[in-house]
Amino acid sequence: KICGFFILNFSSYEFVWAIFLNRNGKNMQLVLIKNPDDTQIVVYKLARIVFAETGAISLQIVEAMASLIYNIYTKYDKSFEDIANDKNIFDVLNSSSPRHKYLDVDSDNRKLQMCVRIVKTMMHGNLKDSVFGATKFHHTDVIPQWAIARGYIMECEDILFYL
């Protein structure tokens, strides 16, 4: 018989770790409770990607990356879920990326929460396109093959944006 319920970890609206105790406090059981609202899961996936790619060092760069995501969504008719899982768009999704470790940021991090708010605004279509239609980007410390013969249309912090 269950006599107690304690939340151990609340992470990204994706899931809740919970522990159930019986009357004598023994026989603990760890249960993973998934959030049934898939849109919240996608919001946090995209927010973590935006955080990892930009470091959330400024509102401007966070809005720029979210704008790029929305441009991909509208131009290529891809779902936000597909975009959030595309390693060709976001190098940070590859385990070999130096920024990959930032995907595991704590869900209560203030900079991640800023990314969440911007991503929600973007997903509702209420974010101004601050990257002039760009659908590609790279960091200035790496020049991918596709960018060699192209001119970038915008630079923000250490990220270059392309059509």
Side-chain angles (χ1 to χ4, degrees):
K1 189 169 185 175
I2 298 173
C3 75
F5 170 78
F6 302 95
I7 295 176
L8 294 179
N9 184 9
F10 186 48
S11 178
S12 306
Y13 292 112
E14 293 179 34
F15 54 84
V16 175
W17 287 104
I19 192 164
F20 296 92
L21 303 173
N22 66 8
R23 284 202 178 270
N24 62 10
K26 295 183 181 177
N27 301 326
M28 291 195 263
Q29 181 180 2
L30 189 62
V31 177
L32 177 65
I33 304 171
K34 291 212 173 252
N35 187 338
D37 185 356
D38 289 341
T39 60
Q40 289 299 314
I41 294 170
V42 174
V43 166
Y44 271 83
K45 280 183 181 180
L46 288 171
R48 287 177 181 281
I49 290 168
V50 169
F51 177 85
E53 289 288 5
T54 66
I57 57 177
S58 71
L59 177 62
Q60 182 183 19
I61 190 63
V62 170
E63 288 180 341
M65 189 60 65
S67 292
L68 175 124
I69 293 168
Y70 195 76
N71 291 341
I72 294 168
Y73 169 76
T74 56
K75 184 173 182 178
Y76 299 114
D77 198 30
K78 293 181 86 166
S79 71
F80 287 121
E81 178 71 29
D82 289 342
I83 294 168
N85 293 316
D86 194 331
K87 293 179 179 181
N88 293 319
I89 299 171
F90 301 109
D91 184 57
V92 74
L93 296 174
N94 296 305
S95 58
S96 60
S97 169
R99 294 174 181 85
H100 181 76
K101 62 187 174 192
Y102 299 116
L103 290 172
D104 292 330
V105 63
D106 289 336
S107 60
D108 60 348
N109 180 292
R110 290 179 60 188
K111 289 183 175 185
L112 176 65
Q113 290 305 312
M114 175 180 64
C115 295
V116 169
R117 287 189 300 277
I118 299 302
V119 166
K120 283 181 179 179
T121 301
M122 174 271 299
M123 289 178 76
H124 287 106
N126 296 324
L127 185 66
K128 180 182 156 240
D129 181 5
S130 61
V131 293
F132 310 104
T135 56
K136 292 185 175 286
F137 77 98
H138 68 83
H139 294 269
T140 55
D141 60 345
V142 177
I143 301 177
Q145 190 66 32
W146 60 261
I148 292 174
R150 290 185 174 186
Y152 60 89
I153 60 169
M154 184 184 152
E155 179 177 5
C156 187
E157 306 293 345
D158 75 330
I159 298 178
L160 302 176
F161 294 90
Y162 298 77
L163 292 174

